[in-house]
Amino acid sequence: MINREWHLLSRPVGWPKPEDFALVEAEVPTPGEGQVLVRNKYLSVDPYMRGRMSAAKSYTAPFELGKVMQGGAVGEVVESNAEGFAVGDHVLHFFGWREYAVVRAENAVKVDAGAAPLSTYLGVLGMTGLTAYAGLLRTASFKEGDSVFVSGAAGAVGSQVGQIAKLKGASRVIGSAGSDEKVKLLVEEYGFDAAFNYKNGKVSDQLREAAPDGVDVYFDNVGGDHLEAAIGSLNQGGRIAVCGMISVYNNTEAAPGPRNLARLIQTRGRIEGFLVGDHYDLQSEFVSEIGPLVASGQLKYRETVVEGIENNLEAFLGVLRGDNTGKMIVKL
């Protein structure tokens, strides 16, 4: 049996290029004691993976050159040498970018394929959903009546942030996205009060028009001109949660910071970065609260599904380009 897996051959400079990667054939591994062999069914590709392709010191170890990369995955146990796991169980783990993975029992989490589609455990009920939940409610200290601005609002995280804010009583939710189609989706399906296409004019001008009374919370997925615009519209006591800055991930030189940081003094504003890994204590609370909302249709989600391990790299590059609506998933 052959296992196809993606290796990182060289560290990208600027935008990743196909020659930085290789789809390699290897033997399907055999699980040892306390391990299971999983046939992956769905793989996750996410913006943070771009950072792991660099050797720069960060919050997590970089991908190793010449070795298979990693990422979220959900699949079926096809061989088990671990107590508590049986052939046919479905598990969530972190050994994606490959067709088959050997996973230690402590690194595998059982998921219920009957309760929700397997792909949702990589998105709305998985890491991206928890990111939205923790970033909005804990890091940004959201409270009922807040006005909320979300950048990258049609993405997997941003779309959940806006909807959770609305369900919890936000006075106004504004989103930015990269196409008129996505703007329409935010307002008509996700229930945002206003949205704009950041390609249609200055972000600061469009934000002031969409939020004439300012914003109390900004959930940042983009950085750059979006962050500067949010600081310019921040109300007194406003909070900014920095989840990601996709606009600068492929820069070869350091991006200039917002030119109006001094306004945080005037507004007594707060800006704080966060990582979802610091908030896994909220996991059970998140699932118990958000799961029923997803099941009932009150909280909506979209997935962009790409077929085949051979297209895993193209799916990742699509995330960096903003091709996806909602969570980008690779189906094997």
Side-chain angles (χ1 to χ4, degrees), residues 280-300:
Y280 280 126
D281 61 298
L282 293 176
Q283 178 72 29
S284 60
E285 173 188 319
F286 159 69
V287 172
S288 64
E289 181 175 359
I290 299 302
L293 295 174
V294 174
S296 68
Q298 290 178 268
L299 196 150
K300 300 174 174 62

PDB file of all heavy atoms in Angstrom, residues 280-300:
ATOM      1  N   TYR A 280      -7.781  26.035  25.113  1.00  0.00           N
ATOM      2  CA  TYR A 280      -8.464  24.746  24.986  1.00  0.00           C
ATOM      3  C   TYR A 280      -9.288  24.392  26.227  1.00  0.00           C
ATOM      4  O   TYR A 280     -10.109  23.464  26.176  1.00  0.00           O
ATOM      5  CB  TYR A 280      -7.461  23.631  24.671  1.00  0.00           C
ATOM      6  CG  TYR A 280      -7.071  23.601  23.207  1.00  0.00           C
ATOM      7  CD1 TYR A 280      -5.729  23.637  22.818  1.00  0.00           C
ATOM      8  CD2 TYR A 280      -8.039  23.543  22.209  1.00  0.00           C
ATOM      9  CE1 TYR A 280      -5.377  23.620  21.482  1.00  0.00           C
ATOM     10  CE2 TYR A 280      -7.691  23.527  20.867  1.00  0.00           C
ATOM     11  CZ  TYR A 280      -6.363  23.568  20.505  1.00  0.00           C
ATOM     12  OH  TYR A 280      -6.018  23.556  19.176  1.00  0.00           O
ATOM     13  N   ASP A 281      -9.098  25.147  27.314  1.00  0.00           N
ATOM     14  CA  ASP A 281      -9.960  24.934  28.475  1.00  0.00           C
ATOM     15  C   ASP A 281     -11.411  25.318  28.186  1.00  0.00           C
ATOM     16  O   ASP A 281     -12.330  24.928  28.908  1.00  0.00           O
ATOM     17  CB  ASP A 281      -9.449  25.745  29.674  1.00  0.00           C
ATOM     18  CG  ASP A 281      -9.429  27.246  29.407  1.00  0.00           C
ATOM     19  OD1 ASP A 281      -8.692  27.672  28.488  1.00  0.00           O
ATOM     20  OD2 ASP A 281     -10.148  27.985  30.099  1.00  0.00           O
ATOM     21  N   LEU A 282     -11.632  26.068  27.088  1.00  0.00           N
ATOM     22  CA  LEU A 282     -12.982  26.453  26.697  1.00  0.00           C
ATOM     23  C   LEU A 282     -13.633  25.426  25.771  1.00  0.00           C
ATOM     24  O   LEU A 282     -14.792  25.608  25.369  1.00  0.00           O
ATOM     25  CB  LEU A 282     -12.956  27.809  25.974  1.00  0.00           C
ATOM     26  CG  LEU A 282     -12.561  29.043  26.789  1.00  0.00           C
ATOM     27  CD1 LEU A 282     -12.490  30.272  25.891  1.00  0.00           C
ATOM     28  CD2 LEU A 282     -13.553  29.270  27.919  1.00  0.00           C
ATOM     29  N   GLN A 283     -12.919  24.355  25.410  1.00  0.00           N
ATOM     30  CA  GLN A 283     -13.389  23.424  24.396  1.00  0.00           C
ATOM     31  C   GLN A 283     -14.772  22.852  24.722  1.00  0.00           C
ATOM     32  O   GLN A 283     -15.678  22.860  23.885  1.00  0.00           O
ATOM     33  CB  GLN A 283     -12.384  22.286  24.216  1.00  0.00           C
ATOM     34  CG  GLN A 283     -12.784  21.224  23.207  1.00  0.00           C
ATOM     35  CD  GLN A 283     -12.717  21.701  21.772  1.00  0.00           C
ATOM     36  OE1 GLN A 283     -11.922  22.566  21.438  1.00  0.00           O
ATOM     37  NE2 GLN A 283     -13.567  21.158  20.917  1.00  0.00           N
ATOM     38  N   SER A 284     -14.949  22.321  25.925  1.00  0.00           N
ATOM     39  CA  SER A 284     -16.231  21.689  26.252  1.00  0.00           C
ATOM     40  C   SER A 284     -17.358  22.718  26.281  1.00  0.00           C
ATOM     41  O   SER A 284     -18.477  22.448  25.815  1.00  0.00           O
ATOM     42  CB  SER A 284     -16.133  20.951  27.591  1.00  0.00           C
ATOM     43  OG  SER A 284     -15.794  21.835  28.636  1.00  0.00           O
ATOM     44  N   GLU A 285     -17.077  23.895  26.825  1.00  0.00           N
ATOM     45  CA  GLU A 285     -18.067  24.970  26.839  1.00  0.00           C
ATOM     46  C   GLU A 285     -18.443  25.365  25.412  1.00  0.00           C
ATOM     47  O   GLU A 285     -19.624  25.554  25.084  1.00  0.00           O
ATOM     48  CB  GLU A 285     -17.501  26.177  27.595  1.00  0.00           C
ATOM     49  CG  GLU A 285     -18.354  27.424  27.545  1.00  0.00           C
ATOM     50  CD  GLU A 285     -17.640  28.621  28.137  1.00  0.00           C
ATOM     51  OE1 GLU A 285     -16.962  28.459  29.182  1.00  0.00           O
ATOM     52  OE2 GLU A 285     -17.749  29.722  27.562  1.00  0.00           O
ATOM     53  N   PHE A 286     -17.428  25.486  24.568  1.00  0.00           N
ATOM     54  CA  PHE A 286     -17.638  25.860  23.168  1.00  0.00           C
ATOM     55  C   PHE A 286     -18.522  24.845  22.454  1.00  0.00           C
ATOM     56  O   PHE A 286     -19.516  25.202  21.816  1.00  0.00           O
ATOM     57  CB  PHE A 286     -16.278  25.980  22.481  1.00  0.00           C
ATOM     58  CG  PHE A 286     -16.301  25.857  20.988  1.00  0.00           C
ATOM     59  CD1 PHE A 286     -16.875  26.841  20.198  1.00  0.00           C
ATOM     60  CD2 PHE A 286     -15.753  24.743  20.362  1.00  0.00           C
ATOM     61  CE1 PHE A 286     -16.902  26.715  18.807  1.00  0.00           C
ATOM     62  CE2 PHE A 286     -15.774  24.613  18.986  1.00  0.00           C
ATOM     63  CZ  PHE A 286     -16.345  25.595  18.208  1.00  0.00           C
ATOM     64  N   VAL A 287     -18.195  23.564  22.562  1.00  0.00           N
ATOM     65  CA  VAL A 287     -18.953  22.530  21.862  1.00  0.00           C
ATOM     66  C   VAL A 287     -20.387  22.460  22.377  1.00  0.00           C
ATOM     67  O   VAL A 287     -21.351  22.340  21.592  1.00  0.00           O
ATOM     68  CB  VAL A 287     -18.260  21.158  21.990  1.00  0.00           C
ATOM     69  CG1 VAL A 287     -19.150  20.051  21.435  1.00  0.00           C
ATOM     70  CG2 VAL A 287     -16.927  21.167  21.255  1.00  0.00           C
ATOM     71  N   SER A 288     -20.569  22.557  23.692  1.00  0.00           N
ATOM     72  CA  SER A 288     -21.915  22.455  24.258  1.00  0.00           C
ATOM     73  C   SER A 288     -22.787  23.643  23.860  1.00  0.00           C
ATOM     74  O   SER A 288     -24.010  23.507  23.708  1.00  0.00           O
ATOM     75  CB  SER A 288     -21.846  22.349  25.788  1.00  0.00           C
ATOM     76  OG  SER A 288     -21.296  23.527  26.353  1.00  0.00           O
ATOM     77  N   GLU A 289     -22.182  24.814  23.665  1.00  0.00           N
ATOM     78  CA  GLU A 289     -22.956  25.990  23.292  1.00  0.00           C
ATOM     79  C   GLU A 289     -23.143  26.112  21.785  1.00  0.00           C
ATOM     80  O   GLU A 289     -24.244  26.409  21.302  1.00  0.00           O
ATOM     81  CB  GLU A 289     -22.277  27.265  23.821  1.00  0.00           C
ATOM     82  CG  GLU A 289     -23.057  28.530  23.494  1.00  0.00           C
ATOM     83  CD  GLU A 289     -22.470  29.785  24.123  1.00  0.00           C
ATOM     84  OE1 GLU A 289     -21.461  29.686  24.842  1.00  0.00           O
ATOM     85  OE2 GLU A 289     -23.048  30.864  23.893  1.00  0.00           O
ATOM     86  N   ILE A 290     -22.083  25.876  21.030  1.00  0.00           N
ATOM     87  CA  ILE A 290     -22.130  26.114  19.589  1.00  0.00           C
ATOM     88  C   ILE A 290     -22.712  24.917  18.834  1.00  0.00           C
ATOM     89  O   ILE A 290     -23.396  25.088  17.817  1.00  0.00           O
ATOM     90  CB  ILE A 290     -20.724  26.461  19.060  1.00  0.00           C
ATOM     91  CG1 ILE A 290     -20.203  27.735  19.739  1.00  0.00           C
ATOM     92  CG2 ILE A 290     -20.733  26.628  17.549  1.00  0.00           C
ATOM     93  CD1 ILE A 290     -21.091  28.955  19.540  1.00  0.00           C
ATOM     94  N   GLY A 291     -22.470  23.696  19.327  1.00  0.00           N
ATOM     95  CA  GLY A 291     -22.975  22.515  18.641  1.00  0.00           C
ATOM     96  C   GLY A 291     -24.464  22.568  18.349  1.00  0.00           C
ATOM     97  O   GLY A 291     -24.890  22.368  17.197  1.00  0.00           O
ATOM     98  N   PRO A 292     -25.301  22.847  19.340  1.00  0.00           N
ATOM     99  CA  PRO A 292     -26.746  22.933  19.081  1.00  0.00           C
ATOM    100  C   PRO A 292     -27.123  24.059  18.116  1.00  0.00           C
ATOM    101  O   PRO A 292     -28.095  23.926  17.365  1.00  0.00           O
ATOM    102  CB  PRO A 292     -27.328  23.183  20.476  1.00  0.00           C
ATOM    103  CG  PRO A 292     -26.316  22.622  21.423  1.00  0.00           C
ATOM    104  CD  PRO A 292     -24.997  22.910  20.791  1.00  0.00           C
ATOM    105  N   LEU A 293     -26.372  25.161  18.129  1.00  0.00           N
ATOM    106  CA  LEU A 293     -26.663  26.262  17.218  1.00  0.00           C
ATOM    107  C   LEU A 293     -26.383  25.866  15.778  1.00  0.00           C
ATOM    108  O   LEU A 293     -27.109  26.264  14.851  1.00  0.00           O
ATOM    109  CB  LEU A 293     -25.829  27.494  17.592  1.00  0.00           C
ATOM    110  CG  LEU A 293     -26.130  28.136  18.947  1.00  0.00           C
ATOM    111  CD1 LEU A 293     -25.142  29.253  19.241  1.00  0.00           C
ATOM    112  CD2 LEU A 293     -27.559  28.664  18.990  1.00  0.00           C
ATOM    113  N   VAL A 294     -25.330  25.065  15.581  1.00  0.00           N
ATOM    114  CA  VAL A 294     -25.024  24.556  14.243  1.00  0.00           C
ATOM    115  C   VAL A 294     -26.082  23.552  13.813  1.00  0.00           C
ATOM    116  O   VAL A 294     -26.594  23.592  12.686  1.00  0.00           O
ATOM    117  CB  VAL A 294     -23.615  23.924  14.215  1.00  0.00           C
ATOM    118  CG1 VAL A 294     -23.351  23.253  12.870  1.00  0.00           C
ATOM    119  CG2 VAL A 294     -22.547  24.975  14.493  1.00  0.00           C
ATOM    120  N   ALA A 295     -26.436  22.646  14.723  1.00  0.00           N
ATOM    121  CA  ALA A 295     -27.421  21.609  14.406  1.00  0.00           C
ATOM    122  C   ALA A 295     -28.784  22.204  14.051  1.00  0.00           C
ATOM    123  O   ALA A 295     -29.493  21.697  13.169  1.00  0.00           O
ATOM    124  CB  ALA A 295     -27.555  20.645  15.577  1.00  0.00           C
ATOM    125  N   SER A 296     -29.153  23.295  14.727  1.00  0.00           N
ATOM    126  CA  SER A 296     -30.458  23.914  14.490  1.00  0.00           C
ATOM    127  C   SER A 296     -30.466  24.842  13.286  1.00  0.00           C
ATOM    128  O   SER A 296     -31.532  25.276  12.844  1.00  0.00           O
ATOM    129  CB  SER A 296     -30.892  24.715  15.727  1.00  0.00           C
ATOM    130  OG  SER A 296     -30.049  25.849  15.904  1.00  0.00           O
ATOM    131  N   GLY A 297     -29.281  25.164  12.768  1.00  0.00           N
ATOM    132  CA  GLY A 297     -29.195  26.079  11.643  1.00  0.00           C
ATOM    133  C   GLY A 297     -29.128  27.534  12.036  1.00  0.00           C
ATOM    134  O   GLY A 297     -29.077  28.412  11.172  1.00  0.00           O
ATOM    135  N   GLN A 298     -29.128  27.818  13.333  1.00  0.00           N
ATOM    136  CA  GLN A 298     -29.017  29.213  13.774  1.00  0.00           C
ATOM    137  C   GLN A 298     -27.647  29.799  13.473  1.00  0.00           C
ATOM    138  O   GLN A 298     -27.524  30.991  13.206  1.00  0.00           O
ATOM    139  CB  GLN A 298     -29.289  29.317  15.283  1.00  0.00           C
ATOM    140  CG  GLN A 298     -30.720  29.084  15.686  1.00  0.00           C
ATOM    141  CD  GLN A 298     -30.876  29.154  17.197  1.00  0.00           C
ATOM    142  OE1 GLN A 298     -30.785  28.132  17.889  1.00  0.00           O
ATOM    143  NE2 GLN A 298     -31.109  30.344  17.704  1.00  0.00           N
ATOM    144  N   LEU A 299     -26.624  28.954  13.550  1.00  0.00           N
ATOM    145  CA  LEU A 299     -25.281  29.392  13.196  1.00  0.00           C
ATOM    146  C   LEU A 299     -24.892  28.662  11.912  1.00  0.00           C
ATOM    147  O   LEU A 299     -24.794  27.440  11.879  1.00  0.00           O
ATOM    148  CB  LEU A 299     -24.291  29.088  14.324  1.00  0.00           C
ATOM    149  CG  LEU A 299     -22.950  29.840  14.227  1.00  0.00           C
ATOM    150  CD1 LEU A 299     -22.370  30.078  15.612  1.00  0.00           C
ATOM    151  CD2 LEU A 299     -21.944  29.085  13.388  1.00  0.00           C
ATOM    152  N   LYS A 300     -24.707  29.432  10.856  1.00  0.00           N
ATOM    153  CA  LYS A 300     -24.471  28.873   9.529  1.00  0.00           C
ATOM    154  C   LYS A 300     -22.971  28.807   9.226  1.00  0.00           C
ATOM    155  O   LYS A 300     -22.177  29.550   9.810  1.00  0.00           O
ATOM    156  CB  LYS A 300     -25.198  29.703   8.472  1.00  0.00           C
ATOM    157  CG  LYS A 300     -26.711  29.756   8.681  1.00  0.00           C
ATOM    158  CD  LYS A 300     -27.374  30.700   7.714  1.00  0.00           C
ATOM    159  CE  LYS A 300     -28.890  30.639   7.832  1.00  0.00           C
ATOM    160  NZ  LYS A 300     -29.369  31.035   9.165  1.00  0.00           N
TER     161      LYS A 300
END
